[in-house]
Amino acid sequence: MREQLQNLHDQALEALEKANHLEEVESIRLKYFGKKGEMTQILRGMGKLSKEERPKMGALANEVREKLEKALEERKALLEEKKIDLQMEAEDLDVTLTKETIRLGHRHPLLQTMEELENLFIEMGFTVVDGPEIESVENNFDALNSPKDHPSRDLSDTFYIDEDTLLRTHTSPMQIRAMKNLGAPLRIVSSGRVFRPDDVDDTHSPMFHQLEGLVVDKGVTMANLIETLNVFIKEFFGEEMQTRFRPHYFPFTEPSTEVDVTCMKCKGAGCEVCNYTGWSLELLGAGMVHPNVLKNCGIDPDVYSGFAFGLGIDRIAMVKYGIKDIRLLFGNDDRFLRQF
Ligand code: DAH
C-alpha cells in the first residue's frame, strides 16, 4: 500500500503539471478523489489493514491526500489567473486609445466678417437687403449715373453676359433696387459677391465681396455720412482707430470720398504693411448720392438727399485678421480656415 500511495502521488502530480485547462484539473480531481477515485478507494481499503499497519498507513495516506489537495488548488488558481490574462489579451480593450474625432466646421472668416458688419449696421438702424449677382447694365451703370464711356464699363473691366446683362461689378446697383422698390426714406445695407476680370495676385481676385450702404431722407448731409462711418469704424476695429476722408470721384456720388483707416498693425506709426504711411488705404468709398441717381429712381432730389458707401469685405477681413494674401480666403485650405 505504501508503494501504491507513492505511485499515486507521483502520477497525480505529473498529470497536474501537464494540465493546461481548468477542466483537466477537475478531471484529475475526480480521478483521485471522486466517489470511485483511486485515493478514495485506498482510503476505503484502510479498514482491511491490520491494527499495527492502519495508523501508519493512515498517516501516510493523509499526508499524500493533503499534498495532492494543495497541488490541485494551486494548479487551479494558476490556470484561473492565466485564463483571465488570456481573456484580457483577446478583448484588447485599451481605454486610453484616442478615437478619430470628427471636427465640426464653422463659418468662413469672410462670412463671419460679413455678418459682423451687417449686425453692426442693424444696431445703427439699417435694414439688410439682398440682391442678384447677375445684374442689368442699367442697374450696374446707367442708373448709377455712370457715363457710357466710363472705363469701368470696358470689356476688360466687366464680365458681360450679353449687351444688357453682366456679373455685377459692385454692390452699388443695390442702391437702385432699394430706392425703386422701397422709396424714400430708407436706410439699407446689402452685402455679397462682386466680379471683375482682374488677374489674381495677393490683393486681387476676380470674385470678391462688398457691403453697400445707403441712407436717403430729408436733410441728410455729409456730416451724417462722416459720423456714421466714424462710429462704424471705431465699433468694428476699436476706439483708437482714426479715419481719413480723401476727395475722390465716383459717378454716383457728389461729392465723393475714399476713406482710409489707421493701420491695424502699427497703429499709425508706419510699418511695412502700410508702406510706412500709417494708413490702411481704400477700405471704403463713399459720398452724397448724386441728384441724378435719386431722379433715376423716382426720388425728388429737392426734397430728399442721401449718402452712400461701399466697402470691400475681403480687405476689411484682411486688415482685421492680418491676412497678407487674398488667395488664402478662397483657397479652402483647412489649415488656414480652422484658425478663425
Ligand atoms: N461702388 C464703388 C466701388 O466698387 C464703391 C462705392 C463708392 C460705393 C462710393 C458707394 C459710394 O456707395 O458712395 O468701387
Side-chain angles (χ1 to χ4, degrees), residues 144 169-173 175 194 196 208 210-214 225 248-258 284-289 307-312:
L144 283 166
T169 60
H170 50 181
T171 44
S172 299
Q175 293 185 32
V194 301
R196 288 179 203 175
F208 56 104
Q210 287 190 336
L211 179 136
E212 193 79 15
L214 173 68
L225 165 63
H248 201 75
Y249 168 79
F250 296 106
F252 34 90
T253 43
E254 181 60 36
S256 304
T257 174
E258 258 187 355
L284 57 104
M288 299 307 292
V289 180
F307 68 78
F309 54 91
L311 49 91

Side-chain angles (χ1 to χ4, degrees), residues 33 51 61 115 133 145 185 231 246-247 255 282 284 306 315 335:
F33 293 105
K51 270 187 186 162
E115 255 172 32
E133 292 167 356
N145 199 40
V231 168
R246 269 183 298 108
E282 299 173 28
L284 57 104
R315 270 280 171 83
R335 290 168 302 175

Side-chain angles (χ1 to χ4, degrees), residues 12-13 16-17 19 21-22 24-26 28-30 33 64-82:
L13 280 189
L16 265 182
E17 240 168 77
H21 295 284
L22 287 166
E24 286 171 61
V25 177
E26 177 61 9
I28 292 168
R29 193 187 67 82
L30 288 173
F33 293 105
V64 170
R65 191 184 50 135
E66 270 169 30
K67 269 194 192 164
L68 287 184
E69 273 174 0
K70 195 168 167 238
L72 275 164
E73 276 314 306
E74 277 174 5
R75 192 73 192 169
K76 198 174 155 195
L78 185 93
L79 289 178
E80 264 168 359
E81 216 171 276
K82 213 167 141 192

